[in-house]
Amino acid sequence: MKKIAFSIWQLKPVKWLRRIRGFKLVYTPLIAIVLFTVVMGVIMGTLQLQEKSQQEAALFRELSFAKQRIQLRFANNTDVLQSIGRDYVSAGDSAKLKENAIIQAENLLQSNHEMAQIVWINETNQRQWRIPADNLKTDWFNKVNNAGAINQALRKTLELSTATNRPAFSQFIALEVPSDEVISKEIRNVFWQTVPQISGNEIKGMVAVLYTTQGMLEMIPGELKGQYRFTLITDDDKVLAISSDKNTPKRAFSNQTSLDIGVLSPNLSLRIDTYPPATNLTFRMLIGVVLGLSAFVVWSLWSVLKQMQVRQEAEANLRAETNFRSAMENSTPVGIRAHDMNKAITYVNPAFCEMTGWTATELIGQNPPFAFWPEGKRDELTEKMNKALKTALSQEKKIGIEGSILHRNGSIIQTRTFISPLINENGKQTGWVTSLIDISEPKKIREELAASQERFVTVLEGLDAAVSVVSNETGELLFANRFYRERFGNSAKGHFELAGGNIVQNTMQELTEGSADLTPGIPPSSLYQESESEEIQLLDESTGTSKWYEVRRRFVPWVDGQLAQLLIATDITIRIEADDLARQQDERMQFASRLTTMGEMASSLAHELNQPLAAISNYCMGVAKRLQGNLDPTLQKDILPALEKASDQAHRAGTIIQRIRGFVKRSEPQRKSCDISEIINDAVGLVEIEAHRHRLSISSHIAENLPMVDLDPVLILQVLVNLLKNSLDSVREVYPLSSRWSAPPVKISADLDTSTFPAMLRIQVTDTGAGIADSVIERMFEPFFSTKNDGMGMGLNICRSIIESHQGRLWAKNQMDTEQTKLSGCTFTILLPLESPGSKSNI
């Protein structure tokens, strides 16, 4: 019994020693953490009190500095105002000296934003001048609601200065200004300062300055206003001005001081508020860190205790895992790694360590993104891994992810990773197993093939020709380069349009059926021969213009072994247009040659016809002179005017021929001041004979009081006669002879066109014929172009040349009927300048 008891007592100290050792192991760090927390709390509290004291001292210092700035500014302003008043009073009657004093006042006002207005008041209390005279601020001072209060405050301040013989300030004046005005905040509260000018104990005048309370805050430096908010308040805590509308925190520091800006100044206080919160964020973060560290240590101690309880079990599992890993390492050359349910790496084999260059110790425990992933692809690989892990359980086939691994030496290895669930012996998933295969070489080969194909496609995309391939069996567009897609879209429609339509498609199908009958192994070489180039014209639907293409096509075997048609179309529109332009140039050269020939003929005709026409005119005048006084008065009244008219027409014909000759020689019109109504009446008189012969009529409408115009009357008369004849011919074609009595007359009118500057003379000839076709109206003024069988095509060309030689314009415009369904005539319009230009251009 004694031995047994001895052994029991001998074991108790060992048990107690273990308990004490466990107590030290667990509670000693906990007591140390508590003591550390208490000490840190005391230190933090002391630092907070010290920081608060420093902030309050800095706040008082900045407030005192701002107060000194404002007081110093007002003292300087008072001295400058006294100097300006002294100069103005001492100037006497010198206007220049007074003007210099006013200029000094203007400079003072411009350099001090707190001043809104400066006024000079003489010894009789009359305002002699003020600056600024008129601006956005002074307009509100003169409003009915504000002028009374401002003037009353100024009058009281003047009385106070007069009584004390020293500068005085008025009470604060609240103005009525809408809040939406730009300067509403700036001039909301104002007050006066008067500075008397004393000479020989007499006040010779006063300088009155209107200050704004908001402007007083402009005296404070901007860097202070950025850190603090300054407010001007009265004794009854009424806010007069504030430096910022931004609210300060509830726990912000604040201080206030009385602002004495002068001897006789109203009571005014300056308050300063801090923007940052009173509590330092760093202090809170330190407290949070201390508490967090303490909690973390407590949790760590608790975790250690828990780990101690399962240590034996963990050692057994570790031995099993070690055997399992050894088997895997010795059985596979593929890189393998295992993950737990939290995606952390739990195992890597030597092959995987060789791929990454990292040791197993460094890799185990890493979470995605892993250190062996390239820096620029970590987000992409993390997303791929998460997606693969979600779908790994639902798919029987292993998931393959193509990625890359960054070796520790800096080299990149391209890999394909297969992921599958890791199931234990109880059928429960404990993580995932990933196997990696190095695919650097196969991928390099694929990339080279892709690059080669990309270069080939880039060359085709850069061609300025449409390249397209269409399946011979289905008619599907197999390939189209950039030029084809821009012109014809992504369908095979443009291919068949270039190839000749559906006929070519049917031909392709027949060739396919015919190729099936050929002997196997013998290529149908006749199918692959390139066709001759063809020029195809297509309409561009986007622009509405025609495009010309040079098309070459052939049949080729496609990559899948099927027969396909290759087509190459080159845009040759520019070349076709150049050929057309060359033909047009040839035609113009022919026209020029014909014009030259016509000019030579006109010159010869003018020379040959002048003498017969002169003889006719002389004979008519001679017959008229011999008949005068020898005929019966009644016969003389009928015969003599006819002979005179015949002579005038012969003279006119000779003048026209001279004008044509001058036109051929490129001479200037013989201008003179003319009445356009006379020229129009002469033209109507000349054409009316032919009009009556065809049972047609002409009506003229001439505006009243038209000015005289500088022009060549003979040439203008020639133009009007030509246009009237053309209009009569147009009406004759529409109305048959039996119904011409109901045809509307051909109208000729003259008025002023005031839509242009300067105004121009407008002459219009309007008919009710069939109008002019669009194709004709574009070329009707070209030489040798005529729609008449017996016409030479020179009439309208000469008319336009005559009008343009007068610096005018001539054009034609069709008219539509009331229902806007068909043409109902044409109007020729002439615009002529009222005055002859200084520089005249030749015909």
Side-chain angles (χ1 to χ4, degrees), residues 117-305:
Q117 193 176 33
I118 300 178
V119 182
W120 171 257
I121 302 172
N122 60 12
E123 60 271 12
T124 60
N125 288 337
Q126 298 294 325
R127 302 184 184 184
Q128 287 190 342
W129 53 265
R130 67 174 182 176
I131 54 173
D134 189 12
N135 60 14
L136 188 59
K137 295 180 181 179
T138 57
D139 288 345
W140 287 104
F141 298 156
N142 298 328
K143 298 291 183 181
V144 177
N145 298 334
N146 300 328
I150 291 176
N151 293 332
Q152 184 179 1
L154 177 59
R155 185 171 55 255
K156 291 181 179 180
T157 310
L158 292 173
E159 293 174 357
L160 182 61
S161 290
T162 304
T164 59
N165 288 339
R166 58 172 47 183
F169 293 85
S170 69
Q171 296 297 323
F172 300 105
I173 310 165
L175 301 182
E176 296 182 9
V177 183
S179 59
D180 57 350
E181 283 292 329
V182 179
I183 61 171
S184 171
K185 179 180 177 182
E186 184 177 348
I187 62 172
R188 179 70 66 181
N189 297 285
V190 297
F191 63 95
W192 286 100
Q193 180 190 14
T194 57
V195 181
Q197 304 300 322
I198 303 172
S199 177
N201 296 327
E202 292 183 1
I203 297 178
K204 298 299 183 179
M206 291 192 185
V207 179
V209 181
L210 186 64
Y211 285 96
T212 63
T213 56
Q214 189 66 34
M216 292 176 61
L217 296 179
E218 297 296 329
M219 304 176 186
I220 302 174
E223 57 271 15
L224 288 184
K225 291 190 290 183
Q227 299 178 2
Y228 306 98
R229 185 180 71 179
F230 293 90
T231 309
L232 292 176
I233 57 177
T234 59
D235 290 341
D236 54 354
D237 292 336
K238 178 183 178 181
V239 177
L240 298 177
I242 190 168
S243 62
S244 174
D245 295 334
K246 185 169 66 174
N247 295 328
T248 58
K250 295 182 179 180
R251 300 182 62 183
F253 292 113
S254 178
N255 203 339
Q256 182 174 326
T257 183
S258 177
L259 191 62
D260 299 327
I261 58 177
V263 179
L264 300 176
S265 61
N267 294 330
L268 183 65
S269 297
L270 179 65
R271 186 174 69 196
I272 185 172
D273 299 291
T274 58
Y275 286 131
T279 303
N280 191 353
L281 181 61
T282 304
F283 176 75
R284 289 185 173 182
M285 291 179 62
L286 289 175
I287 293 178
V289 168
V290 171
L291 295 178
L293 289 174
S294 302
F296 176 76
V297 172
V298 173
W299 176 83
S300 299
L301 294 175
W302 178 81
S303 300
V304 169
L305 292 177

Side-chain angles (χ1 to χ4, degrees), residues 378-481:
R378 291 187 177 182
D379 295 338
E380 177 186 354
L381 294 175
T382 301
E383 184 178 357
K384 285 184 177 180
M385 180 177 180
N386 294 335
K387 184 177 180 180
L389 292 178
K390 290 180 181 179
T391 57
L393 293 174
S394 61
Q395 296 184 1
E396 296 180 359
K397 188 177 180 181
K398 294 183 179 180
I399 304 299
I401 304 174
E402 188 171 329
S404 57
I405 287 179
L406 177 65
H407 196 274
R408 200 161 192 174
N409 60 8
S411 60
I412 300 295
I413 301 175
Q414 302 298 328
T415 62
R416 180 173 296 276
T417 303
F418 297 91
I419 301 176
S420 59
L422 180 61
I423 308 299
N424 63 5
E425 65 277 6
N426 297 325
K428 182 179 179 181
Q429 181 183 0
T430 59
W432 288 271
V433 174
T434 61
S435 56
L436 286 81
I437 303 174
D438 188 353
I439 60 171
S440 299
E441 278 303 319
K443 187 170 183 179
K444 182 179 179 181
I445 295 173
R446 289 199 305 270
E447 289 177 352
E448 290 177 355
L449 291 175
S452 177
Q453 181 182 2
E454 183 179 2
R455 288 193 295 270
F456 178 73
V457 173
T458 302
V459 172
L460 292 180
E461 291 290 328
L463 290 177
D464 288 332
V467 179
S468 59
V469 180
V470 172
S471 173
N472 192 34
E473 294 181 357
T474 63
E476 178 186 1
L477 183 65
L478 301 177
F479 174 79
N481 69 339

